[in-house]
Amino acid sequence: MQKVRVFIGRMSPLHIGHCQTINKAASDSDHLIILFGSSFRSRNLKNPFTYQERRSILDRWIRESSKISSYSIFPIERSEER
């Protein structure tokens, strides 16, 4: 049976704490699923980067600075209105 872990975060911006937690989750799994919160929000002070920009930063870090080999990245769509 394959062990899958899920990491959920806004990661705006990605920082060393995120990287350490993602590495830990990946080290104990066969596949890591990373979900980005606030994916469809407009830029503001709390969310200065778009989902695509954050995804690109994370993807580059994984490829260049980690040993993670099996992962997926998805945006979280909000299903409720606030």
Side-chain angles (χ1 to χ4, degrees):
M1 178 184 270
Q2 188 177 28
K3 187 186 268 188
V4 177
R5 296 269 189 232
V6 177
F7 178 82
I8 302 171
R10 192 166 38 90
M11 294 169 274
S12 189
L14 179 69
H15 58 70
I16 194 157
H18 294 126
C19 297
Q20 290 172 340
T21 305
I22 290 168
N23 269 331
K24 175 63 177 152
S27 73
D28 189 31
S29 66
D30 300 308
H31 185 79
L32 179 63
I33 298 172
I34 301 168
L35 303 175
F36 274 96
S38 301
S39 296
F40 299 97
R41 298 260 177 150
S42 298
R43 290 180 198 269
N44 59 40
L45 289 176
K46 188 175 177 181
N47 297 300
F49 303 104
T50 66
Y51 160 70
Q52 289 296 350
E53 291 167 334
R54 293 179 286 150
R55 179 189 174 123
S56 177
I57 292 165
L58 178 64
D59 201 35
R60 182 176 179 180
W61 171 77
I62 289 173
R63 287 191 324 271
E64 295 179 2
S65 302
S66 78
K67 296 178 182 176
I68 300 169
S69 59
S70 180
Y71 68 98
S72 303
I73 301 174
F74 300 104
I76 295 176
E77 248 186 274
R78 227 164 96 189
S79 61
E80 63 189 56
E81 297 223 11
R82 291 186 185 211

